[in-house]
Amino acid sequence: MTDTLLPNGIKDSGGDSSYFKKGCNPFAQTGRSKLQNKRANVNQQIIKQMRMRAGAENLLKATSNNKVKEMVLLELSYVNSNLQLLMGQLEGLNSSVEVYQNTQETANIPLIALGLKETKDIDFSTLFKDFILEHYSEDGNSFEDEIADLMDLRQACRTPSRDEAGVELLAKYFSHLPLMESRFFSPSRQTGIFFTWYDSFTGVPLCQQNLSLEKASILFNMAALYSQIGTRSDRQTIAGLEEAISSFQKSSGILNHLKETHTHTPSYDMSPAMLSMLIRMMLAQAQECLFEKTALPGIRNQFYSLMKMAQEAAKVSEIYDQLHQSMIQTPIKDNVPFFWSTMSQVKTNHYRSMAHYFAASALLDHQLSLSDDEDQQEKTLSQVYDRLPEGRSPLDILKRKDERERIGKAHIRRAILGHEEALRIFGLCHHLNKLEALQEILKASHQRSLNKCSENEDEEEFTDYTEAPDIISKTEHKAEMEVPATTKVKVTDFFQRLGPLSVFSAKQRWTAPRTLHLCPEDRDLGFTLKGETPVQVVSLDPLCRAAADGLKEGDYIVAVGNTDCKWMGVSDVMRLLKDVDEKGIDIQVISIMDSNPPMPTKSATFCGNLPKTYSMICLAYDDDDKNPKSRKVTKKSSFLSWGLKNRLKSASTLSLPTADHSGGLPWNKPCPTFPSSSTYNNDSALY
């Protein structure tokens, strides 16, 4: 079992952490792991309080004693207050962004990372062993190692490392889920395995028996891990910024894939509205990193460079404004941490103020000279503004010094007001007050705008109330969703010894393996083989000894002697049967059984903030309605001859089964035989 826990393809190099899977270290005492452990403890307390509340509500409905009702109401108020406190603690944990930031980073605005969804341990051992014995007719105890490997992989996914190895670990388990579903999750029966996951925002547990919740939660954690990688990147270097941009774009791509493929997940943190908001947040942070990448080498003090940066900053502000608008919508604002919406509002005002500061610097510090390209500056200025004050044109602003200064001062005043608004909003959230680096950046930006205003202030001129025009947002590098290649990882099926999935799956039914003894007659076995894996018996001679021993047309050969043949092709099986002597050899075969179409299992959907279930209605299949041409029209009999003729007709036709090859029944069943009318003793039975 130790080998299965080592990194893939890497030998044990010693050390305490070499025992665990690559991409997982459950004993890492980092700030992020401690925060995740606190979140898990809060989730356990929330589910305990919810059970107490449900019990109290049921007791309140059942009792008619007024004294008991008073005691129950008092208990309910106590439980509800505890729940509110726990929800507040969970919101505080979701607002703890400082543990996700780079440890050496102090000069950048903090970014928001998603926390991992928590789950409960699951023991596949007993149920999978029973299913293997019952469905596959094999000893379940011989698959203990495979089951343990699967459980170890799932357990490792609860504590992934914050790097590409951790993402690859989650992707590996995600790729195993369809294989596990095909092997053990039959559409006609429940396995009895319950997958429990906690909502990452509310802590409310959700439990399902199918794998759709498991798949969706693993995808969500992959996106959350990418967001944590992005926030951890060193944004003081180009390489670190590129890593952050790529991570946030991959996170948004996975969230979008989750939104498109799992549309009915009843967990609120994976509802379409919430996922749309999270996608916006990841793309907004990627766009912010793109802006920082442009500004990192330094901004040239030139008219064109400053106007370009003004539009880039306006683009970041616009995206954060759209994010804030989606966060304050009714279905989302009750569950999203107040810290997140406040942070998006602060960044909206901050980057809008920066845009006005760059525009003011371009107009106040750079006058149009003879050496400047007048047409190019006019074109640039016309692309920056969507509208200008009445009576002014871009060329007038460029040529006239007073107009240029008037618009520039209007921009700097608007920048100061925006920075003051950002600082005011910053003070409203006590979680934001813990981010000293953010407060220092906001104050420094505000002071820089004040300095620019004082440099261009003239005491003799009158106060000008000209309003600065809005700046059109524009960017040369737009953040876009990116689906990482790690979402599809090639893995080897843990349970491949059961046979090819095309035959040996949970939805197929077959007979138990039958042992037959083959004795060739003149080196002829009496049948031929076809197919890939496993091989199938065709062209069976009904007079051969194998047919007399019980071999049927279409049987699959699963063993020849002591050799397992489930994964062997025709040439390999023929090689085993080629050298059979006169004593013969034993083979094991199975026959595929026709199974009735199963009733659809209940599936969950998200509706109105409450999980609901529904089941499909099976409609009866009417073959006569489907094939009206095959219906035979008979001539009406007279009333006197009706009893006798129909009695003879029922005795001669209805008592024999018929096979209509023109239009087969939907489930390939033979027609049921009806009792003959001769079994009735008198004519009254006909009526």
Side-chain angles (χ1 to χ4, degrees):
M1 285 306 299
T2 305
D3 296 337
T4 62
L5 293 173
L6 295 176
N8 299 332
I10 300 177
K11 294 183 179 181
D12 188 2
S13 58
D16 295 333
S17 62
S18 61
Y19 179 82
F20 301 106
K21 283 183 177 292
K22 182 180 179 181
C24 166
N25 189 357
F27 294 146
Q29 294 298 318
T30 61
R32 183 179 67 98
S33 62
K34 293 178 181 178
L35 183 67
Q36 200 67 31
N37 291 334
K38 290 180 181 178
R39 184 180 286 111
N41 293 332
V42 171
N43 287 333
Q44 293 294 335
Q45 295 178 36
I46 288 176
I47 190 174
K48 179 181 178 181
Q49 296 296 327
M50 291 185 67
R51 287 172 178 171
M52 293 178 62
R53 185 174 68 177
E57 289 175 347
N58 292 334
L59 180 59
L60 190 63
K61 295 177 182 178
T63 185
S64 58
N65 192 319
N66 293 331
K67 190 173 182 179
V68 174
K69 284 185 177 181
E70 291 178 0
M71 295 177 62
V72 172
L73 289 173
L74 181 62
E75 183 68 22
L76 268 177
S77 63
Y78 175 73
V79 171
N80 287 329
S81 63
N82 284 343
L83 274 175
Q84 290 181 358
L85 290 175
L86 291 172
M87 294 293 184
Q89 292 181 21
L90 188 61
E91 181 181 353
L93 294 176
N94 288 329
S95 303
S96 302
V97 297
E98 59 273 7
V99 299
Y100 297 109
Q101 310 303 313
N102 188 280
T103 55
Q104 301 176 353
E105 186 173 304
T106 57
N108 291 99
I109 298 178
L111 300 173
I112 298 175
L114 299 178
L116 299 178
K117 287 175 67 71
E118 287 290 335
T119 183
K120 295 176 66 175
D121 291 336
I122 298 177
D123 187 5
F124 298 128
S125 180
T126 303
L127 294 173
F128 278 11
K129 287 179 183 179
D130 293 344
F131 191 85
I132 290 173
L133 178 62
E134 176 187 349
H135 189 77
Y136 294 95
S137 301
E138 296 199 24
D139 184 13
N141 293 323
S142 63
F143 289 86
E144 284 185 351
D145 290 345
E146 288 84 350
I147 296 173
D149 291 343
L150 178 62
M151 292 173 60
D152 290 340
L153 179 59
R154 188 182 189 275
Q155 181 66 22
C157 289
R158 298 183 64 181
T159 55
S161 57
R162 192 168 45 161
D163 51 22
E164 287 291 340
V167 177
E168 185 178 352
L169 178 69
L170 294 175
K172 183 179 179 181
Y173 178 64
F174 181 78
S175 299
H176 273 290
L177 290 178
L179 300 175
M180 183 171 66
E181 185 175 22
S182 300
R183 293 288 189 191
F184 299 103
F185 290 81
S186 172
S188 59
R189 55 175 285 184
Q190 297 290 349
T191 58
I193 298 176
F194 293 90
F195 297 93
T196 303
W197 287 85
Y198 295 92
D199 191 296
S200 60
F201 297 110
T202 63
V204 176
L206 181 69
C207 185
Q208 280 191 355
Q209 291 196 61
N210 54 35
L211 280 172
S212 61
L213 177 63
E214 186 88 351
K215 294 177 183 177
S217 299
I218 292 297
L219 281 177
F220 185 92
N221 279 357
M222 289 176 65
L225 202 57
Y226 268 122
S227 71
Q228 295 179 13
I229 294 174
T231 55
R232 186 208 58 176
S233 303
D234 184 7
R235 288 150 61 198
Q236 294 297 316
T237 62
I238 295 294
L241 282 169
E242 289 177 349
E243 181 187 26
I245 294 166
S246 177
S247 298
F248 287 125
Q249 291 184 150
K250 289 177 180 178
S251 178
S252 64
I254 294 177
L255 290 171
N256 186 65
H257 176 68
L258 172 60
K259 177 184 173 183
E260 292 178 348
T261 55
H262 296 79
T263 56
H264 296 293
T265 304
S267 182
Y268 188 77
D269 56 354
M270 294 186 288
S271 64
M274 183 64 75
L275 289 176
S276 298
M277 185 277 294
L278 294 178
I279 292 170
R280 286 179 182 270
M281 186 171 71
M282 294 299 116
L283 290 177
Q285 296 187 142
Q287 192 66 48
E288 183 179 2
C289 292
L290 283 169
F291 173 80
E292 292 177 353
K293 181 183 175 183
T294 305
L296 184 62
I299 303 171
R300 300 179 65 183
N301 192 13
Q302 295 180 353
F303 181 82
Y304 303 109
S305 299
L306 292 171
M307 284 299 183
K308 173 188 172 184
M309 293 305 298
Q311 290 188 294
E312 292 281 355
K315 183 65 177 179
V316 178
S317 174
E318 179 185 42
I319 295 178
Y320 270 112
D321 185 45
Q322 295 172 356
L323 172 63
H324 178 256
Q325 294 302 321
S326 64
M327 284 183 176
I328 61 176
Q329 299 300 319
T330 303
I332 299 176
K333 69 178 182 180
D334 297 331
N335 296 287
V336 170
F338 179 66
F339 169 86
W340 287 15
S341 59
T342 309
M343 175 71 88
S344 62
Q345 200 173 4
V346 167
K347 290 187 177 183
T348 299
N349 288 278
H350 173 70
Y351 284 105
R352 183 186 295 130
S353 301
M354 289 185 66
H356 286 288
Y357 174 81
F358 287 130
S361 299
L363 293 173
L364 294 174
D365 298 345
H366 300 277
Q367 302 295 330
L368 186 63
S369 61
L370 297 176
S371 60
D372 294 332
D373 189 345
E374 181 180 310
D375 295 336
Q376 185 65 28
Q377 285 201 11
E378 181 184 4
K379 181 180 178 181
T380 302
L381 198 62
S382 62
Q383 293 175 350
V384 170
Y385 299 134
D386 57 348
R387 62 174 182 83
L388 288 172
E390 295 182 3
R392 295 183 177 93
S393 65
L395 191 59
D396 293 337
I397 297 174
L398 291 173
K399 285 186 174 182
R400 297 175 56 183
K401 183 179 179 180
D402 57 338
E403 288 294 334
R404 193 165 185 145
E405 290 182 352
R406 184 177 292 111
I407 299 297
K409 290 179 181 179
H411 278 298
I412 203 65
R413 286 196 300 270
R414 195 164 174 186
I416 293 173
L417 290 175
H419 286 307
E420 291 175 350
E421 180 66 12
L423 286 168
R424 185 189 69 83
I425 298 171
F426 174 85
L428 295 178
C429 181
H430 67 278
H431 292 296
L432 276 177
N433 294 331
K434 301 177 183 178
L435 303 178
E436 297 179 358
L438 176 60
Q439 186 177 18
E440 292 176 1
I441 292 172
L442 295 178
K443 288 182 177 179
S445 301
H446 181 231
Q447 187 62 42
R448 184 177 56 183
S449 297
L450 289 174
N451 294 338
K452 177 66 69 175
C453 182
S454 61
E455 290 174 4
N456 296 272
E457 186 177 2
D458 189 357
E459 297 180 357
E460 296 182 357
E461 68 177 0
F462 295 101
T463 304
D464 189 3
Y465 295 101
T466 302
E467 184 179 357
D470 294 330
I471 299 174
I472 298 176
S473 62
K474 182 181 178 182
T475 181
E476 294 181 356
H477 306 284
K478 184 180 179 181
E480 296 179 351
M481 291 181 291
E482 177 184 350
V483 180
T486 52
T487 53
K488 297 180 180 179
V489 178
K490 291 185 178 180
V491 294
T492 303
D493 186 8
F494 284 130
F495 304 94
Q496 62 178 350
R497 287 197 291 127
L498 292 174
L501 271 173
S502 58
V503 176
F504 300 96
S505 63
K507 65 180 180 180
Q508 297 279 8
R509 295 180 64 240
W510 56 87
T511 61
R514 308 188 308 276
T515 302
L516 307 176
H517 189 73
L518 292 184
C519 290
E521 300 176 0
D522 297 332
R523 300 185 64 83
D524 183 17
L525 295 174
F527 59 87
T528 59
L529 303 176
K530 75 167 188 177
E532 296 180 355
T533 56
V535 296
Q536 195 173 12
V537 175
V538 294
S539 303
L540 176 65
D541 184 1
L543 302 179
C544 68
R545 293 184 61 180
D549 201 14
L551 188 64
K552 300 178 183 178
E553 182 87 12
D555 283 354
Y556 289 95
I557 298 179
V558 296
V560 176
N562 295 325
T563 305
D564 193 316
C565 300
K566 295 188 185 76
W567 287 96
M568 288 187 178
V570 174
S571 58
D572 296 328
V573 176
M574 290 301 297
R575 192 178 300 111
L576 295 176
L577 297 175
K578 181 180 179 181
D579 300 328
V580 178
D581 54 14
E582 296 179 354
K583 295 181 181 180
I585 191 172
D586 289 338
I587 65 170
Q588 286 188 345
V589 298
I590 60 171
S591 302
I592 297 295
M593 299 170 59
D594 293 333
S595 57
N596 293 328
M599 288 289 291
T601 57
K602 288 185 177 182
S603 58
T605 184
F606 176 82
C607 179
N609 203 18
L610 290 174
K612 296 184 179 181
T613 58
Y614 65 91
S615 58
M616 299 289 289
I617 299 175
C618 264
L619 300 179
Y621 188 95
D622 191 356
D623 189 57
D624 292 337
D625 293 341
K626 186 175 181 180
N627 301 311
K629 294 183 179 179
S630 63
R631 208 182 286 170
K632 294 183 179 180
V633 180
T634 57
K635 184 178 179 181
K636 277 190 175 182
S637 302
S638 64
F639 176 76
L640 294 177
S641 62
W642 183 86
L644 179 61
K645 287 186 177 181
N646 280 277
R647 186 177 178 185
L648 296 174
K649 182 179 179 182
S650 62
S652 60
T653 61
L654 294 181
S655 60
L656 298 176
T658 59
D660 186 6
H661 299 285
S662 61
L665 289 174
W667 298 287
N668 298 324
K669 285 187 176 181
C671 293
T673 57
F674 295 91
S676 170
S677 61
S678 60
T679 58
Y680 298 105
N681 295 326
N682 48 41
D683 292 338
S684 63
L686 293 174
Y687 302 100

